[in-house]
mmCIF file of all heavy atoms in Angstrom:
data_model
loop_
_atom_site.group_PDB
_atom_site.id
_atom_site.type_symbol
_atom_site.label_atom_id
_atom_site.label_comp_id
_atom_site.label_asym_id
_atom_site.label_seq_id
_atom_site.Cartn_x
_atom_site.Cartn_y
_atom_site.Cartn_z
ATOM 1 N N GLU V 326 41.429 43.240 17.445
ATOM 2 C CA GLU V 326 42.062 42.892 16.169
ATOM 3 C C GLU V 326 42.565 41.441 16.201
ATOM 4 O O GLU V 326 42.383 40.687 15.234
ATOM 5 C CB GLU V 326 43.201 43.854 15.853
ATOM 6 C CG GLU V 326 43.859 43.582 14.510
ATOM 7 C CD GLU V 326 42.896 43.650 13.328
ATOM 8 O OE1 GLU V 326 41.868 44.374 13.400
ATOM 9 O OE2 GLU V 326 43.164 42.964 12.325
ATOM 10 N N ARG V 327 43.167 41.031 17.294
ATOM 11 C CA ARG V 327 43.656 39.644 17.418
ATOM 12 C C ARG V 327 42.482 38.662 17.375
ATOM 13 O O ARG V 327 42.595 37.585 16.781
ATOM 14 C CB ARG V 327 44.449 39.462 18.686
ATOM 15 C CG ARG V 327 45.805 40.103 18.612
ATOM 16 C CD ARG V 327 46.595 39.843 19.853
ATOM 17 N NE ARG V 327 47.868 40.524 19.790
ATOM 18 C CZ ARG V 327 48.936 40.137 20.442
ATOM 19 N NH1 ARG V 327 48.902 39.061 21.207
ATOM 20 N NH2 ARG V 327 50.055 40.812 20.328
ATOM 21 N N LEU V 328 41.383 39.016 18.004
ATOM 22 C CA LEU V 328 40.203 38.142 17.964
ATOM 23 C C LEU V 328 39.663 38.044 16.539
ATOM 24 O O LEU V 328 39.265 36.954 16.107
ATOM 25 C CB LEU V 328 39.126 38.669 18.909
ATOM 26 C CG LEU V 328 39.412 38.482 20.390
ATOM 27 C CD1 LEU V 328 38.387 39.248 21.226
ATOM 28 C CD2 LEU V 328 39.414 37.022 20.753
ATOM 29 N N ARG V 329 39.642 39.158 15.806
ATOM 30 C CA ARG V 329 39.187 39.137 14.413
ATOM 31 C C ARG V 329 40.072 38.228 13.565
ATOM 32 O O ARG V 329 39.580 37.437 12.779
ATOM 33 C CB ARG V 329 39.178 40.551 13.830
ATOM 34 C CG ARG V 329 37.975 41.345 14.179
ATOM 35 C CD ARG V 329 37.912 42.653 13.381
ATOM 36 N NE ARG V 329 37.278 43.650 14.209
ATOM 37 C CZ ARG V 329 37.880 44.599 14.933
ATOM 38 N NH1 ARG V 329 39.179 44.742 14.883
ATOM 39 N NH2 ARG V 329 37.190 45.417 15.671
ATOM 40 N N LEU V 330 41.392 38.356 13.763
ATOM 41 C CA LEU V 330 42.320 37.520 12.998
ATOM 42 C C LEU V 330 42.154 36.049 13.345
ATOM 43 O O LEU V 330 42.153 35.183 12.452
ATOM 44 C CB LEU V 330 43.757 37.960 13.270
ATOM 45 C CG LEU V 330 44.174 39.317 12.687
ATOM 46 C CD1 LEU V 330 45.557 39.713 13.206
ATOM 47 C CD2 LEU V 330 44.162 39.268 11.172
ATOM 48 N N ALA V 331 42.014 35.740 14.633
ATOM 49 C CA ALA V 331 41.822 34.353 15.053
ATOM 50 C C ALA V 331 40.537 33.790 14.466
ATOM 51 O O ALA V 331 40.487 32.657 14.009
ATOM 52 C CB ALA V 331 41.813 34.255 16.570
ATOM 53 N N ARG V 332 39.481 34.611 14.491
ATOM 54 C CA ARG V 332 38.192 34.156 13.939
ATOM 55 C C ARG V 332 38.310 33.895 12.434
ATOM 56 O O ARG V 332 37.783 32.914 11.913
ATOM 57 C CB ARG V 332 37.112 35.203 14.216
ATOM 58 C CG ARG V 332 35.742 34.788 13.793
ATOM 59 C CD ARG V 332 35.286 33.615 14.638
ATOM 60 N NE ARG V 332 34.228 32.916 13.954
ATOM 61 C CZ ARG V 332 33.865 31.681 14.204
ATOM 62 N NH1 ARG V 332 34.457 31.012 15.158
ATOM 63 N NH2 ARG V 332 32.901 31.108 13.554
ATOM 64 N N ALA V 333 39.029 34.786 11.748
ATOM 65 C CA ALA V 333 39.218 34.602 10.298
ATOM 66 C C ALA V 333 39.991 33.324 10.010
ATOM 67 O O ALA V 333 39.677 32.610 9.060
ATOM 68 C CB ALA V 333 39.953 35.821 9.718
ATOM 69 N N GLU V 334 41.003 33.019 10.829
ATOM 70 C CA GLU V 334 41.758 31.775 10.651
ATOM 71 C C GLU V 334 40.872 30.568 10.850
ATOM 72 O O GLU V 334 40.944 29.600 10.088
ATOM 73 C CB GLU V 334 42.941 31.738 11.617
ATOM 74 C CG GLU V 334 44.052 32.691 11.276
ATOM 75 C CD GLU V 334 45.177 32.668 12.300
ATOM 76 O OE1 GLU V 334 45.237 31.701 13.107
ATOM 77 O OE2 GLU V 334 45.978 33.610 12.304
ATOM 78 N N VAL V 335 40.031 30.591 11.896
ATOM 79 C CA VAL V 335 39.127 29.481 12.165
ATOM 80 C C VAL V 335 38.143 29.317 11.026
ATOM 81 O O VAL V 335 37.911 28.208 10.536
ATOM 82 C CB VAL V 335 38.388 29.680 13.513
ATOM 83 C CG1 VAL V 335 37.250 28.708 13.665
ATOM 84 C CG2 VAL V 335 39.368 29.566 14.677
ATOM 85 N N ASP V 336 37.558 30.433 10.586
ATOM 86 C CA ASP V 336 36.606 30.367 9.482
ATOM 87 C C ASP V 336 37.263 29.834 8.213
ATOM 88 O O ASP V 336 36.682 29.022 7.501
ATOM 89 C CB ASP V 336 35.992 31.750 9.226
ATOM 90 C CG ASP V 336 35.045 32.167 10.306
ATOM 91 O OD1 ASP V 336 34.623 31.331 11.129
ATOM 92 O OD2 ASP V 336 34.719 33.385 10.369
ATOM 93 N N GLY V 337 38.503 30.271 7.950
ATOM 94 C CA GLY V 337 39.234 29.796 6.770
ATOM 95 C C GLY V 337 39.526 28.299 6.860
ATOM 96 O O GLY V 337 39.412 27.591 5.875
ATOM 97 N N ALA V 338 39.911 27.845 8.042
ATOM 98 C CA ALA V 338 40.202 26.419 8.220
ATOM 99 C C ALA V 338 38.938 25.589 8.047
ATOM 100 O O ALA V 338 38.981 24.512 7.438
ATOM 101 C CB ALA V 338 40.813 26.185 9.601
ATOM 102 N N GLU V 339 37.819 26.073 8.549
ATOM 103 C CA GLU V 339 36.561 25.362 8.385
ATOM 104 C C GLU V 339 36.150 25.305 6.921
ATOM 105 O O GLU V 339 35.668 24.287 6.448
ATOM 106 C CB GLU V 339 35.456 26.014 9.218
ATOM 107 C CG GLU V 339 35.633 25.822 10.700
ATOM 108 C CD GLU V 339 34.606 26.589 11.523
ATOM 109 O OE1 GLU V 339 33.783 27.338 10.944
ATOM 110 O OE2 GLU V 339 34.647 26.456 12.746
#
Side-chain angles (χ1 to χ4, degrees):
E326 183 58 27
R327 286 183 183 206
L328 288 171
R329 278 189 212 100
L330 290 172
R332 185 66 200 160
E334 288 177 17
V335 168
D336 289 345
E339 289 174 357

